[in-house]
Amino acid sequence: MARKAVIYTRVSTEEQKENGFSLQEQEARLKRYCQREDIEVVAHYQDDHSAKNFNRPAFQKMLTDLKEKRVTANLFLCIRMDRFSRNLQESLKMIQVLAKLGLEFKVVEGGNFDLDTPENLIPFILNMLLPQVENERRGLNTKRGMRQAQREGRWTGTAPNGYRWYRENDKSLLTPNVKAKLVRLAFEEFAKGIFTSEEIRRKLVKKGLKCSRSQFSRLLRNPVYIGQIKIERWKDEPEEIVIGLHEPLINEELFNEVQSILEGRIKKSKVRSSRDEKLPLRGFLQCRICGGNLTGSASRSRTGARHFYYHCQKGCRERFRADEANGQFVSFLGGFKIPDEVLTLYYHVMEDVFK
């Protein structure tokens, strides 16, 4: 039976594509192999994705083409096992999928074993396991390297809002950018305890701060803005806070005040909704008939003048002019005689509560 193959090539990063095991090199070697072995290449699929799983565009298209008979083949070829997968469990499942589609699985360099011989299963599985071990070791080394960089005060990952990267002595460090003032404003506004974090976020987004709701929540909790770096707990290593090499955007006092509000140690003052200055007592007066709260509204006279009234929300006949009620209330307040020392004390209490 004539052998017809789909060939598959893969790299995971632009760096590999340019400097390493390139897609072009893999394709050329596979085609030379097929020519030497008298195998017809019916299709070629290539990906630029990680090998942790098979959620790769070209690989999934290959499976679809095979299932829908757009491509007919009886052999799957790739150069090495690590080009196919770096996950043993996923590899075994996918080889079964290919077998059900009528394809024999084969790698050109290493890993070719006659699976009709049971003893060959052990080296075959070991050969599939090696890429996963290599990948996990690389990831482990990267993780440890990043944590060591953090211990040295260097931020790792994407630059936080308000910072950008710059190079100094062959090292990448953070420096404030044009959005730094918006980050400072976020902390200052939230510390006032007047607006919610979402209200502040929306205002700052209009000023140019690109930040989702969840990102803004993390921003307000991130110690990077006071010049510190938080190293998360990992394995047997406890969580750490270290002094960063970057410039802080806010002081520690402001940051701690924001954390106190976020954690509920300081209650934010509630902002009363805006009220019509003509109806300051709306919602506070009670109906003499039903005991419900009175609302207020304006009516226009024949001359076009607007007159404001307090009235019942439940249809009772309770209704009177707002200006007269407001005047009586002011007179009522004027009847209070409060000692100066009490007023001074109360002023300080109000100042402390409302900042």
Side-chain angles (χ1 to χ4, degrees):
M1 180 180 178
R3 291 191 292 176
K4 296 183 177 182
V6 292
I7 60 175
Y8 178 74
T9 56
R10 183 194 67 80
V11 292
S12 60
T13 63
E14 289 299 323
E15 183 180 1
Q16 275 185 300
K17 184 182 285 187
E18 294 174 3
N19 306 318
F21 208 51
S22 73
L23 293 169
Q24 295 83 356
E25 183 186 4
Q26 293 176 59
E27 181 183 4
R29 290 161 72 178
L30 285 168
K31 287 184 175 178
R32 284 197 299 269
Y33 174 83
C34 289
Q35 187 176 16
R36 188 169 64 249
E37 298 293 326
D38 194 25
I39 299 171
E40 179 187 353
V41 176
V42 296
H44 171 215
Y45 300 88
Q46 64 180 35
D47 271 314
D48 180 14
H49 276 72
S50 167
K52 290 182 179 179
N53 56 54
F54 289 96
N55 295 329
R56 315 170 204 159
F59 199 96
Q60 291 300 315
K61 184 178 187 306
M62 179 193 74
L63 294 178
T64 301
D65 288 348
L66 291 166
K67 289 174 183 176
E68 297 180 358
K69 305 298 183 183
R70 289 197 290 265
V71 171
T72 302
N74 52 26
L75 182 63
F76 172 91
L77 283 176
C78 63
I79 283 290
R80 292 192 326 214
M81 188 63 74
D82 61 353
R83 300 301 92 199
F84 176 65
S85 173
R86 290 184 180 273
N87 185 306
L88 174 61
Q89 188 174 8
E90 293 287 332
S91 295
L92 293 172
K93 288 180 181 178
M94 187 52 64
I95 289 173
Q96 288 182 332
V97 170
L98 294 173
K100 289 179 180 178
L101 292 171
L103 276 77
E104 176 189 354
F105 173 81
K106 187 178 182 65
V107 293
V108 172
E109 297 181 359
N112 289 314
F113 303 93
D114 180 9
L115 297 183
D116 290 333
T117 304
E119 288 78 10
N120 285 342
L121 284 172
I122 295 175
F124 179 71
I125 290 175
L126 285 175
N127 193 59
M128 283 195 294
L129 183 60
L130 288 176
Q132 180 176 341
V133 172
E134 179 187 359
N135 196 53
E136 291 184 3
R137 168 51 60 187
R138 187 185 299 118
L140 190 61
N141 291 341
T142 300
K143 179 82 170 179
R144 285 176 173 160
M146 291 176 65
R147 290 177 69 82
Q148 181 57 38
Q150 291 174 333
R151 290 190 185 95
E152 294 170 3
R154 288 186 283 132
W155 179 263
T156 57
T158 305
N161 255 315
Y163 287 102
R164 64 176 177 83
W165 288 110
Y166 79 102
R167 297 285 293 178
E168 183 180 279
N169 299 327
D170 294 327
K171 291 184 178 180
S172 295
L173 299 174
L174 294 177
T175 187
N177 64 10
V178 293
K179 302 293 176 62
K181 61 181 180 181
L182 296 178
V183 173
R184 292 190 194 99
L185 186 59
F187 282 91
E188 291 166 356
E189 288 297 300
F190 192 78
K192 291 177 182 177
I194 297 175
F195 303 104
T196 66
S197 61
E198 179 59 12
E199 288 171 331
I200 296 170
R201 186 190 71 85
R202 288 177 180 174
K203 291 179 183 178
L204 295 179
V205 165
K206 291 179 181 178
K207 293 178 181 288
L209 184 70
K210 293 182 179 180
C211 199
S212 68
R213 184 177 297 187
S214 59
Q215 288 172 336
F216 192 70
S217 177
R218 291 194 294 271
L219 181 151
L220 292 175
R221 291 174 168 83
N222 198 339
V224 71
Y225 297 111
I226 54 172
Q228 298 179 358
I229 293 177
K230 181 180 179 180
I231 306 174
E232 301 289 345
R233 183 177 179 274
W234 182 62
K235 294 183 178 293
D236 59 344
E237 299 175 2
E239 179 182 292
E240 295 179 66
I241 299 290
V242 300
I243 303 300
L245 299 175
H246 60 281
E247 177 187 340
L249 298 188
I250 62 171
N251 60 51
E252 197 167 340
E253 181 182 359
L254 176 59
F255 182 80
N256 290 337
E257 189 170 2
V258 167
Q259 304 318 298
S260 294
I261 294 174
L262 289 170
E263 294 169 14
R265 295 195 299 268
I266 296 177
K267 291 185 178 179
K268 293 187 291 184
S269 55
K270 295 182 180 179
V271 182
R272 190 172 299 285
S273 59
S274 58
R275 295 179 174 277
D276 194 308
E277 61 179 9
K278 301 290 186 180
L279 300 166
L281 300 178
R282 181 169 53 187
F284 292 101
L285 302 177
Q286 287 187 343
C287 175
R288 289 177 295 181
I289 301 173
C290 69
N293 290 340
L294 298 182
T295 187
S297 61
S299 61
R300 197 174 294 277
S301 66
R302 293 179 182 177
T303 62
R306 297 182 72 205
H307 299 284
F308 292 83
Y309 295 85
Y310 292 115
H311 54 86
C312 185
Q313 303 182 67
K314 299 180 181 179
C316 300
R317 294 186 176 276
E318 180 75 282
R319 186 172 185 270
F320 46 85
R321 287 180 57 130
D323 57 353
E324 294 178 357
N326 295 341
Q328 290 183 34
F329 186 67
V330 170
S331 297
F332 172 72
L333 293 178
F336 288 99
K337 302 298 180 183
I338 304 174
D340 291 342
E341 60 269 26
V342 175
L343 283 175
T344 301
L345 177 62
Y346 193 70
Y347 172 83
H348 288 304
V349 172
M350 293 287 288
E351 187 180 45
D352 181 61
V353 171
F354 294 99
K355 314 256 187 329

